[in-house]
Amino acid sequence: MIRVTVNGVTSEHAVEPRLLLTDFLRHHLGLTGTHVGCEQGVCGACTVILNGDSVRACLCLVVQADGGEIETVEGLGTVDNLNPLQKAFQEHHALQCGFCTPGMLMTGVDLLRKYPLATDAEIREGLSGNLCRCTGYVHVVQAIRSVVQAEKNGS
Amino acid sequence: MKPPAFEYLAATSLAQAVAALANDEAKIIAGGQSLVPMLNFRLLAPSLLVDITRIPGLDAIEEDGGGGLRIGALTRHHTLETSAMVQARFPVLSAAMKHVAHLAVRNRGTIGGSLCHADPAAELPGLALLLNAQLKTTQRTVAAADFFEGALSTALAGDEILTEIQLPALPPRTGWGFEEFARRSGDFALTAVGATVSLSDGEVAEARIVVIGADDTPLRASAAEVLLTDRSGIAAAAIAAQGQVSPNGDLHGSADYRRHLVGVLTRRALTAAWRRASGTGGEAP
Amino acid sequence: MEAEARPKIIGARVQRVEDPRLLAGRGAFIDDVNLPGTLHVAFCRSDHAHARIVDIDSAEASRMPGVTAIFTAADIEGKMHPIRATSRMADYFATELPVLARDKVRYVGESVVAVVAANRYLAEDAAERVAITYEPLGHAIDPVAAAEAGSPLLHEEAGTNVIVTRTFARGDVDEVLASAPVRIGDTFRMHRKTPAAMENRGYLAEYDQGRRALTLHSTTQIPGIVRDALVEMLDLPGNRLRVVAPDVGGGFGGKGALYPEEILVCIIARQLGRPVKWLSDRLEDLMTTNQAFDEIVEAELACDEEGRILGLRAEVIGDVGAYSIYPWTAAIEPVQVVSFLPGPYRVPVYRGRVRAVATSKTPTGAYRGVGRPISTFVMERLIDMAAAKLSLDPLEMRRRNMVRAEEFPYKSASGIVWDRAGFMECLDGVATAADYKALRQIQTEARAAGRWVGIGLASYAELTGLGSRIAVAPGMPVNTGTESARIRVDSTGAVTAYFGIASQGQGLETTLAQVIAEELGVRLEDVEVIQGDSAVVAHGTGTYASRSAVLAGGAAILSARAVREKVLEAASHLLEADVGDIDTGNGRIFVKGTDRALSFRELARAVYSEIGRLPREVREGMDLEATRMYDPYFGTTTPASHLAMVEIDPETYGVTITRYVVAEDCGRIINPLIADGQVQGGVAQGIGAALMEEVVHDDAGQILTASLMDYVVPTAMEIPAMEIIHLETERPDNIGGFRGMGEGGTIGAPAALANAISDALAPLGIMINELPATPERLFRLIEAATTRNERRATRVG
């Protein structure tokens, strides 16, 4: 039996040791916003935040997350009330097919919490673990830059 | 790509973990950043995974009293990368950690895991060698130089667990350099070179060079190191380092290209190290 | 109240309507569609490049926990009619598209056995226990060797591995070459790519036993084509077979063909009466999704002393892999290499011959750009090589040869007709935007300082938005020249538009809504676009070949206008005004110059619920919906020019792109934000193709690039910021004035980068005629050149 808190909701589950965190979130909790792109730990589409740090959910056994706190894309804003990062992605057209987007957002959340992101190079470096095949990243960098700017102006 | 079935034990003490590892088909899991991909590919089929991440006391970074550090094996890469203590004493380590995969992997992957996985292109095993690390296990303390036996192969026994990495202090007036060339940001190095240069009275008292990704294990380019203390110069050292490695070719780079990179990166790493040690931007020897 | 004038929505930089759901994790991708009782499939795939299947033993696997059924080719025999991609093209052999390998396997990764179990974990457990015995056959890996007589045959009944031969010719090129003052040429090689969409392929079939109806949820770009094919294969009428593409995570052509796995899940779902899902994992994706860009081109160009092109000759070998894919055939890419090779230039005399060769590798198909990334790479290299030989600036060489404004419509040497578009304007556009002269100055200074800096240009033109006169693939029996749109104003006044195209990220829900909103006179948020569903229109094929804006946009305009006429007719009675005095805008219907107005909601209520408000004689036949088909007949030309500037580390040979500029003419732009995104994404894939991406097989046909660690696609660190100039020189002759633009970025970038790197390395005498230009390839070229130059220096000294 494991106990996890996902987007603030705690629940207990009987799971097989081999169950990947991706499949747990998607199929046991029905949180299908976290996407599976490679299960090789390369593409970053499955990025979630575990105990405050962004991680690849496809490289995490859910039993290892026992007792942990997980944030997924569903925990950001809603369709009717997007959060500032999500809004910036929409404003800057930082997504096309949207498949890599949840991973991009969760990486963005971690980057914005931890780093000053003073230069675009820093943003690009931070995003380099998240592959996107549609956008060429240009607008993604712009979206994150705009949030950094807005936070700077706001504080 | 789903892992095969296995049993799982979240060990709460080293003794419990060691006992569980008596089972031949058991494997240790920590951050899982190297192991889980192999499970997903079904390249491994352990009967039991022994999770050591819940064993307390294995993730501290502490001063050893002599200017060095003791670093718990469960320390995550990102903790190492951002530790002020590491940055102050072993800046080469902080710099090298930035090249390890990407943020999400560094957040999860442990340094003990990387050392025990012993990928010849991984940064940490090379840094352990460069910094003359002593690797403390549940049975003994092994010098990094004796730890890496081959690609993905170490001196650890099946039921032996790495618990701590001990980094002795670097000599005073030591500068460092770390140069890596990979196909993409975050990829395994085609080749990387780490170097330290320690000066005494304006002369090179000690030089260390480690070459990563150009042999079955990370390699100390000892033949090149002596060329710095005997004042033959950086260019000669770079050529010597090239002569010492036996790279394997793969689809990202041939043996010849890697050997070529060893020369380039050795020269760059040594130049950076010398400049930092001498505190000048002047011409390196 | 005075109603506002109709606002311009086409051309507005509006935010995408599909974004909120995708950003909130509420998209519905294939694996987000969950039906109770779904069974999951795992495949046993061939680990041989070419082998006879001697025995399949699945006894142990069938006893594994959770296993429902196991299928081999024998088990599905008689449950479907076989399918092959036919064509009217001469010299073409149509291979069958096997659903599961029968008798023999022809590439590593080909599906042999399907294991059906309660979940994917259990299905994979059981698949490991299936024992397949193979007898290896001689394989054909190298396309040049495979083309030769005596090579092991993949399809014995074809009698050869050369399954397509085609020649385009105008004039006697041998004569021109023999007497030309300047003659340059080489062998060019582009190595195989895979589309690598971030979402892998996946299919979910459900069979309604009561209705005897099958629904396939598929990550397909072509729901209509798949529906029509399955109808034939499975003997179901079209009204009981529906193909739905949910949110799809990128396609780029890789999801634009019929796949064995989607046929199989239908067969299994029908047989077992349960929903059946198969999701490709990344390993399977890299082994089985149609690959592309695998050509060897031997080409020669003849010029006069002023650099004017006199003739062009090319021999192309396309490595098309093991099967001819449905419906496009194995010809789609290699034939486009020769038909587009002359590019946007006046090439008076031409001969291009192509042979498509079957090899023991993953089948190839359409990938963004289709053939033109290769033809452009070759032609643009030839132009630069000729310029170098003549000591002409590459920009000037292009200017001298590019089709000029007064020459349109221009019939190219291969028979393509270019309509008036901004060929020269794009070339001048990049040169001006980048300040080409200043860049050359910067390069001169950098060179003097020992730095390796290069500038590369590439110009091309593509045919987009193809109508019924021009087939997307040569001789294909499927009509790709029309699309339809059905638009309906319902009884609440809401507008719903139905299309047969299918978006994989192009933002078609937004751009088509923009077109409809403007034409109909409603607000963007009033329009809901339903696409990617074969059941919503009578006929539609899908999204591919840069067609959706032109064809679906055209159909949207026609049907919106038809609906608007009905709206005006009804309104004329309700507002007691002449139709000609009524206009629509912002969701309102108003009598011009008065304050008499209705909302769409009020009008719809009157038409549907308060029919008494309309005179009896107009009630019959009154509704507020229309379906229109659009056929642009020919296609339209989309030209562009790219400029890349690179710096190469003279020691590690790492390439950094320091500047990237694109000027393109996509006609009337529907949404500049989306247009920019299409160019940026296309260029990023072109950069991958030029510098990094390569599917590698070993000599035994084993695929060595089976993970995203080894199949190297660009990250945010390798793609630069870009400058994009959109030119609208002249509206093309289609109803919307749109030109297709989804693929172009990928077409120009490999050529521009090959030219830039060649330019950077020109002092060493190095030419980049093989892509991707990986650091390893640059190392080998530079080593060889250094040795060559040292030898020369010694001789001279």
Side-chain angles (χ1 to χ4, degrees):
Chain A
M1 208 56 142
I2 60 146
R3 170 200 284 263
V4 289
T5 303
V6 181
N7 301 328
V9 180
T10 304
S11 57
E12 292 193 354
H13 303 266
V15 293
E16 251 198 300
R18 63 167 158 170
L19 184 67
L20 301 171
L21 180 55
T22 39
D23 289 326
F24 171 75
L25 291 170
R26 295 178 49 77
H27 303 311
H28 289 238
L29 298 186
L31 296 173
T32 54
T34 299
H35 294 157
V36 179
C38 72
E39 295 177 317
Q40 300 169 337
V42 187
C43 79
C46 67
T47 305
V48 298
I49 294 188
L50 171 62
N51 300 326
D53 294 318
S54 57
V55 302
R56 309 268 205 235
C58 78
L59 296 190
C60 185
L61 303 172
V62 66
V63 287
Q64 288 204 291
D66 186 14
E69 273 201 41
I70 298 164
E71 298 163 63
T72 71
V73 69
E74 288 92 345
L76 306 179
T78 61
V79 169
D80 294 317
N81 188 21
L82 298 174
N83 84 0
L85 181 62
Q86 290 167 312
K87 271 194 194 130
F89 267 57
Q90 184 176 17
E91 281 160 15
H92 292 269
H93 185 33
L95 66 156
Q96 291 183 25
C97 79
F99 194 79
C100 74
T101 307
M104 285 279 179
L105 290 169
M106 299 319 284
T107 298
V109 166
D110 198 21
L111 291 174
L112 287 162
R113 282 180 191 164
K114 290 179 180 165
Y115 295 93
L117 305 177
T119 62
D120 282 358
E122 217 183 320
I123 295 173
R124 287 178 176 276
E125 171 78 50
L127 289 175
S128 65
N130 290 72
L131 299 178
C132 170
R133 203 59 166 154
C134 295
T135 63
Y137 308 102
V138 178
H139 287 163
V140 184
V141 175
Q142 286 173 8
I144 294 182
R145 161 72 44 233
S146 76
V147 176
V148 173
Q149 207 56 46
E151 285 180 358
K152 211 158 104 193
N153 296 344
S155 61
Chain B
M1 288 193 49
K2 304 295 182 190
F6 45 77
E7 298 289 315
Y8 172 81
L9 171 73
T12 51
S13 71
L14 280 169
Q16 187 193 15
V18 168
L21 289 169
N23 173 344
D24 274 354
E25 306 289 310
K27 278 208 75 85
I28 299 172
I29 184 165
Q33 301 301 287
S34 303
L35 183 68
V36 179
M38 293 171 88
L39 292 172
N40 288 355
F41 272 108
R42 296 197 177 217
L43 295 171
L44 294 173
S47 61
L48 171 68
L49 281 192
V50 181
D51 184 350
I52 60 170
T53 56
R54 289 172 199 272
I55 300 172
L58 294 180
D59 62 354
I61 303 179
E62 295 166 338
E63 301 179 11
D64 67 358
L69 290 176
R70 286 194 296 259
I71 306 172
L74 289 181
T75 304
R76 312 276 177 181
H77 282 79
H78 187 252
T79 311
L80 195 68
E81 176 191 343
T82 52
S83 156
M85 265 191 281
V86 172
Q87 175 64 43
R89 287 174 174 74
F90 303 100
V92 64
L93 192 50
S94 313
M97 286 306 97
K98 294 185 180 22
H99 292 271
V100 179
H102 306 97
L103 180 62
V105 171
R106 296 200 292 273
N107 276 336
R108 186 93 190 128
T110 66
I111 63 168
S114 174
L115 292 168
C116 296
H117 185 59
D119 191 304
E123 290 81 359
L124 252 181
L127 268 291
L129 206 56
L130 178 74
L131 298 172
N132 291 339
Q134 294 287 318
L135 306 179
K136 191 177 160 205
T137 77
T138 44
Q139 296 180 9
R140 57 193 164 141
T141 299
V142 196
D146 301 321
F147 188 75
F148 303 104
E149 296 189 332
L152 310 182
S153 162
T154 70
L156 284 177
D159 61 349
E160 188 176 8
I161 301 173
L162 176 66
T163 58
E164 189 175 278
I165 294 86
Q166 300 169 347
L167 299 177
L170 287 165
R173 295 211 60 201
T174 295
W176 60 275
F178 186 84
E179 295 285 332
E180 175 163 327
F181 190 82
R183 289 203 56 195
R184 280 180 304 195
S185 158
D187 279 356
F188 275 113
L190 278 184
T191 298
V193 174
T196 61
V197 169
S198 308
L199 298 181
S200 175
D201 299 330
E203 299 290 329
V204 177
E206 187 199 47
R208 301 185 205 165
I209 303 163
V210 72
V211 181
I212 295 163
D215 219 309
D216 287 342
T217 65
L219 208 72
R220 274 291 280 275
S222 44
E225 291 173 359
V226 298
L227 293 178
L228 288 159
T229 42
D230 79 3
R231 296 198 231 169
S232 301
I234 287 173
I239 292 166
Q242 281 182 303
Q244 216 183 321
V245 295
S246 313
N248 296 310
D250 66 15
L251 76 151
H252 301 298
S254 63
D256 286 344
Y257 179 44
R258 282 168 203 258
R259 191 190 309 278
H260 165 83
L261 287 173
V262 168
V264 173
L265 301 180
T266 300
R267 188 166 46 66
R268 290 183 179 180
L270 282 170
T271 304
W274 185 86
R275 285 193 180 140
R276 286 192 173 100
S278 65
T280 70
E283 267 315 286
Chain C
M1 179 202 90
E2 178 73 20
E4 313 88 294
R6 186 146 29 136
K8 287 286 164 209
I9 306 174
I10 297 174
R13 211 175 170 83
V14 300
Q15 293 176 20
R16 299 201 319 170
V17 300
E18 42 280 82
D19 286 356
R21 70 168 188 270
L22 298 171
L23 285 162
R26 303 290 169 183
F29 293 90
I30 187 74
D31 194 30
D32 307 340
V33 183
N34 284 303
L35 302 171
T38 298
L39 296 169
H40 296 261
V41 177
F43 286 97
C44 303
R45 296 184 176 277
S46 171
D47 48 11
H48 286 261
H50 190 199
R52 193 164 306 290
I53 300 169
V54 177
D55 182 55
I56 298 173
D57 181 356
S58 53
E60 191 192 346
S62 65
R63 292 191 297 268
M64 293 284 287
V67 174
T68 308
I70 294 179
F71 291 86
T72 65
D75 299 315
I76 57 169
E77 194 87 49
K79 298 198 169 88
M80 55 166 272
H81 302 293
I83 192 160
R84 56 183 76 217
T86 58
S87 166
R88 292 183 302 275
M89 186 172 39
D91 302 317
Y92 164 64
F93 176 81
T95 73
E96 191 183 326
L97 183 77
V99 171
L100 290 167
R102 190 176 53 229
D103 306 329
K104 71 176 196 172
V105 291
R106 294 181 177 86
Y107 68 95
V108 171
E110 184 169 357
S111 47
V112 182
V113 179
V115 177
V116 186
N119 65 46
R120 178 68 181 241
Y121 289 78
L122 295 172
E124 288 190 19
D125 291 349
E128 282 192 317
R129 307 299 176 94
V130 175
I132 306 171
T133 311
Y134 296 99
E135 178 196 322
L137 300 168
H139 40 63
I141 306 301
D142 171 41
V144 177
E148 281 165 16
S151 172
L153 292 180
L154 255 66
H155 302 276
E156 288 85 354
E157 59 284 22
T160 170
N161 289 325
V162 181
I163 59 174
V164 178
T165 307
R166 188 101 192 253
T167 303
F168 294 85
R170 182 162 85 185
D172 186 344
V173 76
D174 296 323
E175 198 183 298
V176 169
L177 279 164
S179 60
V182 178
R183 194 170 159 173
I184 45 114
D186 202 351
T187 299
F188 300 84
R189 182 78 167 97
M190 176 74 95
H191 290 279
R192 186 176 271 244
K193 319 290 177 201
T194 183
M198 291 322 300
E199 180 202 34
N200 295 310
R201 292 185 294 119
Y203 311 108
L204 167 65
E206 49 175 323
Y207 186 66
D208 179 336
Q209 300 192 42
R211 281 185 58 227
R212 288 174 299 143
L214 189 69
T215 301
L216 172 68
H217 306 265
S218 168
T219 56
T220 189
Q221 297 175 225
I222 51 166
I225 290 175
V226 171
R227 193 271 308 269
D228 293 359
L230 289 173
V231 159
E232 297 296 326
M233 298 177 79
L234 302 177
D235 284 330
L236 276 170
N239 53 13
R240 287 196 275 120
L241 208 160
R242 177 179 172 205
V243 177
V244 187
D247 283 327
V248 175
F252 318 116
K255 290 171 180 163
L258 176 71
Y259 278 92
E261 296 94 345
E262 63 193 315
I263 303 167
L264 189 69
V265 292
C266 290
I267 294 170
I268 298 175
R270 179 142 79 152
Q271 178 164 338
L272 300 181
R274 304 255 309 260
V276 174
K277 185 186 268 189
W278 172 75
L279 289 175
S280 169
D281 59 32
R282 187 54 69 180
L283 180 63
E284 290 177 298
D285 179 66
L286 293 171
M287 287 197 299
T288 67
T289 294
N290 295 334
Q291 300 176 350
F293 293 9
D294 197 346
E295 272 90 19
I296 301 165
V297 182
E298 193 226 313
E300 247 189 312
L301 185 75
C303 303
D304 67 15
E305 287 92 346
E306 272 74 54
R308 282 186 291 266
I309 295 170
L310 301 174
L312 172 67
R313 184 189 63 78
E315 289 284 330
V316 178
I317 288 186
D319 179 342
V320 294
Y323 296 101
S324 187
I325 59 149
Y326 188 90
W328 314 112
T329 79
I332 183 159
E333 172 157 302
V335 169
Q336 292 217 146
V337 174
V338 276
S339 60
F340 282 89
L341 192 63
Y345 303 108
R346 286 185 305 276
V347 176
V349 178
Y350 175 56
R351 189 180 67 236
R353 186 169 81 116
V354 62
R355 288 177 294 159
V357 184
T359 60
S360 318
K361 295 180 199 161
T362 307
T364 60
Y367 171 44
R368 201 173 195 166
V370 193
R372 291 154 301 188
I374 297 93
S375 63
T376 304
F377 160 51
V378 172
M379 190 63 184
E380 294 300 300
R381 283 297 303 129
L382 288 169
I383 296 266
D384 268 25
M385 288 159 70
K389 191 153 187 179
L390 289 158
S391 301
L392 261 181
D393 185 276
L395 179 62
E396 179 55 28
M397 177 79 190
R398 283 174 177 77
R399 283 198 177 123
R400 286 186 191 178
N401 287 287
M402 197 165 273
V403 176
R404 284 187 298 259
E406 66 274 15
E407 294 173 290
F408 294 107
Y410 180 86
K411 189 168 190 179
S412 87
S414 61
I416 293 171
V417 177
W418 301 127
D419 61 318
R420 166 89 177 92
F423 284 35
M424 200 71 89
E425 290 87 340
C426 286
L427 182 61
D428 289 339
V430 281
T432 307
D435 197 348
Y436 182 77
K437 253 194 197 143
L439 292 189
R440 285 289 175 205
Q441 187 55 37
I442 291 169
Q443 180 190 29
T444 307
E445 287 160 19
R447 257 189 198 158
R451 287 159 58 203
W452 294 1
V453 170
I455 299 160
L457 286 166
S459 296
Y460 62 88
E462 52 174 333
L463 272 187
T464 63
L466 295 178
S468 59
R469 187 70 184 80
I470 304 171
V472 163
M476 65 180 299
V478 176
N479 165 35
T480 54
T482 59
E483 271 300 328
S484 49
R486 180 155 67 97
I487 299 178
R488 166 199 288 172
V489 180
D490 67 25
S491 56
T492 70
V495 182
T496 310
Y498 303 89
F499 292 92
I501 50 83
S503 180
Q504 304 85 45
Q506 298 89 338
L508 293 167
E509 288 173 49
T510 304
T511 47
L512 292 174
Q514 285 179 260
V515 170
I516 293 162
E518 179 165 322
E519 286 290 340
L520 197 53
V522 297
R523 296 166 306 173
L524 185 66
E525 57 267 34
D526 296 331
V527 184
E528 180 84 6
V529 169
I530 308 289
Q531 45 86 42
D533 186 342
S534 72
V536 301
V537 286
H539 175 260
T541 53
T543 290
Y544 51 87
S546 299
R547 71 194 292 274
S548 293
V550 176
L551 276 84
I557 291 170
L558 291 177
S559 41
R561 288 178 183 170
V563 172
R564 187 164 174 274
E565 275 177 31
K566 295 184 179 189
V567 166
L568 297 183
E569 161 73 16
S572 72
H573 298 288
L574 296 167
L575 296 170
E576 293 173 349
D578 282 348
V579 165
D581 294 334
I582 303 174
D583 202 354
T584 56
N586 259 331
R588 297 189 65 79
I589 305 141
F590 53 92
V591 182
K592 287 180 260 187
T594 74
D595 59 359
R596 277 148 56 211
L598 279 169
S599 67
F600 267 70
R601 180 175 214 150
E602 287 160 343
L603 178 104
R605 192 186 302 131
V607 169
Y608 292 118
S609 309
E610 300 161 357
I611 192 75
R613 292 178 62 188
L614 292 174
R616 186 169 171 191
E617 61 275 16
V618 302
R619 291 181 202 168
E620 202 169 305
M622 172 62 77
D623 65 10
L624 298 175
E625 63 178 286
T627 300
R628 289 291 181 276
M629 199 170 81
Y630 179 59
D631 174 6
Y633 197 62
F634 291 112
T636 180
T637 303
T638 306
S641 286
H642 291 211
L643 180 146
M645 190 163 184
V646 301
E647 176 152 13
I648 302 171
D649 184 320
E651 295 183 324
T652 64
Y653 313 140
V655 175
T656 305
I657 303 169
T658 52
R659 193 88 189 266
Y660 206 98
V661 189
V662 177
E664 59 90 38
D665 176 6
C666 69
R668 185 183 180 201
I669 293 177
I670 302 174
N671 186 331
L673 205 55
I674 289 177
D676 280 350
Q678 288 295 309
V679 174
Q680 288 158 354
V683 167
Q685 288 186 13
I687 290 171
L691 301 181
M692 307 163 87
E693 297 179 34
E694 178 173 2
V695 175
V696 183
H697 291 84
D698 69 10
D699 293 342
Q702 297 293 332
I703 186 159
L704 302 181
T705 44
S707 82
L708 289 175
M709 286 291 261
D710 289 328
Y711 186 76
V712 185
V713 304
T715 76
M717 289 294 278
E718 287 80 37
I719 305 300
M722 299 168 204
E723 297 145 75
I724 301 165
I725 300 118
H726 299 288
L727 299 165
E728 191 191 314
T729 51
E730 184 165 310
R731 294 260 168 104
D733 181 23
N734 62 54
I735 189 161
F738 310 134
R739 302 180 192 271
M741 53 97 57
E743 298 173 85
T746 310
I747 297 174
L753 286 162
N755 278 340
I757 299 171
S758 299
D759 187 42
L761 299 177
L764 296 171
I766 290 171
M767 296 188 291
I768 302 300
N769 292 345
E770 182 176 9
L771 293 179
T774 59
E776 170 69 30
R777 283 206 176 90
L778 295 183
F779 166 73
R780 278 189 262 136
L781 288 168
I782 292 163
E783 288 287 287
T786 310
T787 315
R788 204 165 56 224
N789 295 343
E790 274 164 8
R791 214 177 294 138
R792 194 171 303 147
T794 317
R795 254 201 326 264
V796 173

